[in-house]
Each structure stands twice: as C-alpha cells, then as structure tokens.
Amino acid sequence: MRAMVEMEQVWDRTAAFLRARRAALVALALPALFVPGMIGGLAEAAAAQNVGASGGAWMPVRLVAGLLMLWAELAILALAAGLDSPRAALRQAGLRLPVVIGFAVLLTALLLLLAMPAAGILVAYGFDFVAAAAGESVRPSVVATAWIALYGLVLIPLLLWVAARLSLVTPVVLQERRGLGAIARTVALTRGLAAKIIGMFLLYGILSMVLTAAVRFAGGTIFAVIFGGDDGLGVASVLTLLLTTLVETAMAVLLWGFTGKLYLAARERQDGTAEHR
C-alpha cells in the first residue's frame, strides 16, 4: 500500500533543513538572492523615474538580476533535495538553468493559449484593441465582461489544479535530468496531492503578501518620518526596499526548501526511495 504524503511532516522536514543548513543558506542567499533582488529593485525604481537615457535602459540589469536570483533559488532547491555542498548545488543549478527557463517559456505559452478565448470574446463584441494600444480609455461591453467573468470562474480552479499537478516540475528537471518527460513525471508524483498542494501554496502566498505589505508599510512610514519622503531613490525608499527584499529572500528560501522536501516525500511515496536531510 502506497504511503501518504503528510504536509505537516513535509513542513517538519523543511524546518529541520532550515535549521541544519542555515549557515550554508545564508551564505548562498545573501550574495546570490538578496543582492540581485536589491539591484533589481533599484533598477525598477530608476526605470520608473526615467533615470538614465530612458526607463528601458535598466531592463538588462533587471534581467540579469532575475537570472541570478533564479540560479540561487535552484541551488537552494538542490540543497533541500539532498545535495550536501552549496558549490555542488550552484553547479547543478547552473547546468539545469537553461532547461528550467525553457519549461517556464513553454508553460507561459500554454497559459497564453488559455487566455485566447477571452481575447476572442473581446473581438466578437467589438473591443477596439488599436485604441487601447494607443493609450485611449476603452472599456469592453457589459456582455463581453460578463462572458469573460464566467470564463474566469471556470478557468481559475482549472489553473490552480494544473499548477498543483505541475508544482514539482522544477525539482524533477533539476534532480532527474529529464526533458519533456518531466511533465509526466511530476503529474505522477503529485497524483492525489493537488488539494493539499493548493492549500499549502495559497497559505504561503497569503503569508508572503501580508508580511511583505506590512514591512513595506511600516518601514516606509518610519523611514519617511525620519528621512523625509522621496521620489523612490532616496534614503527612505532604499531602506524600505532593503527590508522588503530581506523578507522576500527569507520567503523564497522557505518556498524552495519546502518544494525540495515535498519532492522528496512525493518521490518516496512513488518510488519507495528518498533521503531526507
């Protein structure tokens, strides 16, 4: 009889992993996750203020920062999934990074296909895309809005279910070196777990948003009182960004650590073999 995957046990293993590997995680997350996050945030603020030749000039900086952060997140996932050395985790993450990006592009394309019916509804009811692209205020008709809302009511639960069934595709790609077969593998690993995974990641999303918003509001208010308001690149804004990036870094470590332990638990259930560290 196949064992069950208990989320409480996965959380316990995640907490044990964070305690046991905290020094390695800090050494990895600060330079490879927190620093690029700060750089990306500063570049975004500079782009919003049109600092430099144009706002778009900062896009390469934000892109490189995002790639570095993804590399670090994959390394944390590799550690959670069983690798001992941060150096080995970074090496494995770097080798599999292009494949992970390829899967992200593929899944994004599939999401865009799912959005096509909504675009078709707008076209059918005469929505002026040209005027909207030119910046004019154009609203869809009431009937089109109603049909899109109805489609959304059907689509959102479906997307949540699909996201849960594919939630382990990244650790599968990272650890098992599969190509497109990673999709079938993650579907097999998450069989019977969709509801639990949806619940856990919704809880994580709510917690992350609340913590980040609270730190941004409280820190922003305090720093604005001390240093005065600014245009997004002053002392108050930079210090607020620093605090929120710290929170986001900690939440990212938690997320990828949990994902790695969930993968091991699902693999243990599916194959009967896994090592939990």
Side-chain angles (χ1 to χ4, degrees), residues 60-257:
V61 177
R62 296 161 66 184
L63 178 61
V64 171
L67 288 174
L68 287 173
M69 292 172 69
L70 178 58
W71 179 37
E73 289 165 348
L74 292 178
I76 292 167
L77 176 57
L79 284 176
L83 285 184
D84 288 323
S85 165
R87 181 176 298 179
L90 285 168
R91 186 185 306 115
Q92 181 165 320
L95 290 173
R96 302 302 287 169
L97 181 61
V99 183
V100 171
I101 293 173
F103 269 92
V105 172
L106 174 62
L107 295 176
T108 300
L110 293 176
L111 287 175
L112 290 176
L113 286 177
L114 289 175
M116 291 303 293
I121 292 171
L122 291 174
V123 171
Y125 285 93
F127 184 79
D128 193 341
F129 287 95
V130 175
E136 297 181 22
S137 179
V138 183
R139 294 184 179 181
S141 67
V142 175
V143 177
T145 302
W147 277 112
I148 291 173
L150 182 61
Y151 179 65
L153 289 175
V154 176
L155 183 62
I156 290 174
L158 175 63
L159 288 178
L160 287 174
W161 182 82
V162 171
R165 297 305 303 272
L166 296 180
S167 60
L168 297 181
V169 71
T170 302
V172 168
V173 169
L174 184 66
Q175 295 295 109
E176 302 186 18
R177 300 182 181 276
R178 296 173 184 255
L180 290 176
I183 294 177
R185 172 65 166 167
T186 191
V187 168
L189 288 175
T190 56
R191 185 175 294 114
L193 297 176
K196 293 180 179 180
I197 292 173
I198 290 171
M200 294 308 298
F201 283 112
L202 284 177
L203 177 62
Y204 169 85
I206 292 170
L207 177 62
S208 181
M209 286 190 295
V210 169
L211 284 176
T212 303
V215 169
R216 182 178 292 114
F217 175 77
T221 301
I222 293 172
F223 292 138
V225 170
I226 297 173
F227 299 104
D230 56 62
D231 59 359
L233 290 171
V235 175
S237 292
V238 171
L239 290 176
T240 302
L241 175 63
L242 187 147
L243 285 181
T244 54
T245 305
L246 277 175
V247 172
E248 290 168 353
T249 299
M251 295 303 295
V253 172
L254 175 62
L255 173 64
W256 291 104

